[in-house]
Amino acid sequence: MRLLFFISILFAGVQCLAQPFTLQPNASMYIEGNAKVFFSNEVNFEGSLDNRGTLILSKDVDFAANTSAGSMEFTGGADQKLTGAELLAKDLILFKQGRLFLFANTIDVSGMLDMNKGYLYPQATKVHVSSGQIAGGSAESYIEGRISQTSVGNALYYPMGIDGYFNSLSLLQASQGDKIAVEIAIPDASLLIPGDSLIGLADEAQWIVTKESEKNLATTVEVNFDGFELNALVNPQTIRAHRYGPVIAHLDAEEGKYFQLGIGSLTDTDSLTYGMLTSAKTLVLRNEPKYVSLGRMPLSSGPAFFVPNIFAPRASLEENRLFRPFLAGIPVEKFTMAIWDGYNVEMYSVNQTDAVLDELGWDGTTNGGAAASEGVYYYSVQVVTPQGSFSKKGSFILLR
């Protein structure tokens, strides 16, 4: 005859179990909602667990096939492991030294995921905060990997980090029911191709943002970044400006390039390695993952007007294969430009209303269609906008 052992912890306060603890397969444990049980050694729940209270865990824990994990507080002085299958948790609290590694199929947190101290490594575990929120986060406590959460009508905050640096991401316009996953990872530097108005991208970390709910989401993005080297960008391109600043950028999958989301605010920063940065434009989340990185862009107190002093028709980036002015952040009502060689022979001219500057410019050929020779050329350019007229005369060098 099989015997069934039943352990019931009903009263308030903290009960301490100092020895390694195994709940045998033929035993059951029930923990009342106001009870706390402190395990100072390894725990193995082979039997049936119904936890309505709080488990305070300082070593590894294995929930086996149990689902009722209740509230858990990890307080160990070294790395810990959580093992299980499909776990339902109320609160998950980290207040520990070292790292917590997860080895479960799924963990659904219905209350608070509180990152007080210690590092959470989800590994392949699908961690989802379903009806609560995520709190905390710092250089001493972050999530390295992937986590998802469902908005209860508030902004979505992800205290991510990697390689010892805290790099959180927030989606500021999330609404009720939006389910979004965020992963932090080291990007493939060869795929960090900057688009117009970006001088390059950082390869220390990037965020992969995936919409898991049905409706699309347009939201501004806030990142608290640290440990970046924005003066040592990958795949840089030259855009002359008096000063530059960090900016949030996202990958356009069709273009294969990253485009900036503008600077809404930038605080607590040295503009190169750390700071709190909010986008001016919205990131639109549809069905495909969005790759979000940090880049650097030229800054201006007004519309940024720039004419290059070197031109190469065979430049690696297509947008640099035309000699033209650059004007960011304002529409163009009229564009006029003329180019001459050193003998005052006109090589190119344009006079167009409602112009798109990206599509106009000199391709480095003569009026007869031959390739113009290397050397110094002269220009006169005027751009008329709703905010006034920008004009400049000067010279540039054509390189082959």
Side-chain angles (χ1 to χ4, degrees), residues 63 66-69 72 82-89 104 106-109:
F63 286 92
N66 285 288
T67 60
S68 177
M72 297 173 285
L82 181 157
T83 307
E86 317 291 333
L87 290 175
L88 300 175
T106 62
I107 299 178
D108 186 283
V109 180

Side-chain angles (χ1 to χ4, degrees), residues 56-301:
I56 303 174
L57 303 153
S58 62
K59 295 290 180 66
D60 296 347
V61 57
D62 186 350
F63 286 92
N66 285 288
T67 60
S68 177
S71 292
M72 297 173 285
E73 183 175 344
F74 289 86
T75 62
D79 290 350
Q80 291 176 257
K81 292 191 301 182
L82 181 157
T83 307
E86 317 291 333
L87 290 175
L88 300 175
K90 183 183 178 184
D91 297 324
L92 177 57
I93 301 168
L94 265 70
F95 199 90
K96 64 179 272 61
Q97 301 289 333
R99 300 165 293 181
L100 173 61
F101 294 95
L102 304 182
F103 296 93
N105 295 329
T106 62
I107 299 178
D108 186 283
V109 180
S110 61
M112 179 76 72
L113 173 55
D114 199 349
M115 302 293 297
N116 284 291
K117 190 175 183 180
Y119 307 102
L120 181 63
Y121 287 74
Q123 312 283 86
T125 302
K126 295 181 178 179
V127 182
H128 178 60
V129 180
S130 58
S131 56
Q133 60 182 335
I134 304 176
S138 67
E140 295 183 343
S141 186
Y142 57 69
I143 302 165
E144 183 165 339
R146 185 180 192 273
I147 191 166
S148 67
Q149 60 177 317
T150 298
S151 174
V152 292
N154 55 307
L156 292 174
Y157 164 67
Y158 301 83
M160 314 305 287
I162 196 165
D163 288 347
Y165 292 101
F166 177 59
N167 288 289
S168 68
L169 180 141
S170 298
L171 305 175
L172 301 182
Q173 277 79 46
S175 56
Q176 183 82 30
D178 287 328
K179 182 181 179 181
I180 310 294
V182 171
E183 178 181 0
I184 193 168
I186 302 295
D188 183 341
S190 66
L191 300 179
L192 296 173
I193 308 300
D196 286 345
S197 75
L198 277 175
I199 65 169
L201 294 150
D203 65 349
E204 284 80 11
Q206 76 174 180
W207 301 265
I208 304 165
V209 185
T210 305
K211 177 183 70 70
E212 296 184 339
S213 48
E214 290 187 4
K215 64 178 182 178
N216 296 338
L217 172 64
T219 176
T220 51
V221 181
E222 182 179 80
V223 296
N224 186 349
F225 66 95
D226 192 12
F228 282 78
E229 295 291 342
L230 294 174
N231 58 348
L233 303 171
V234 297
N235 304 317
Q237 58 184 357
T238 300
I239 303 177
R240 294 175 62 90
H242 294 294
R243 60 193 183 98
Y244 304 89
V247 67
I248 300 169
H250 72 100
L251 175 65
D252 185 306
E254 293 184 1
E255 294 280 344
K257 297 178 183 179
Y258 282 78
F259 294 94
Q260 51 89 3
L261 292 174
I263 302 173
S265 65
L266 176 62
T267 58
D268 302 324
T269 184
D270 65 354
S271 295
L272 287 175
T273 61
Y274 67 88
M276 178 73 78
L277 178 61
T278 305
S279 68
K281 305 174 186 177
T282 58
L283 178 71
V284 179
L285 300 175
R286 296 188 174 92
N287 295 322
E288 71 284 351
K290 278 289 187 179
Y291 293 82
V292 176
S293 294
L294 281 188
R296 208 168 178 217
M297 66 178 290
L299 300 180
S300 173
S301 57

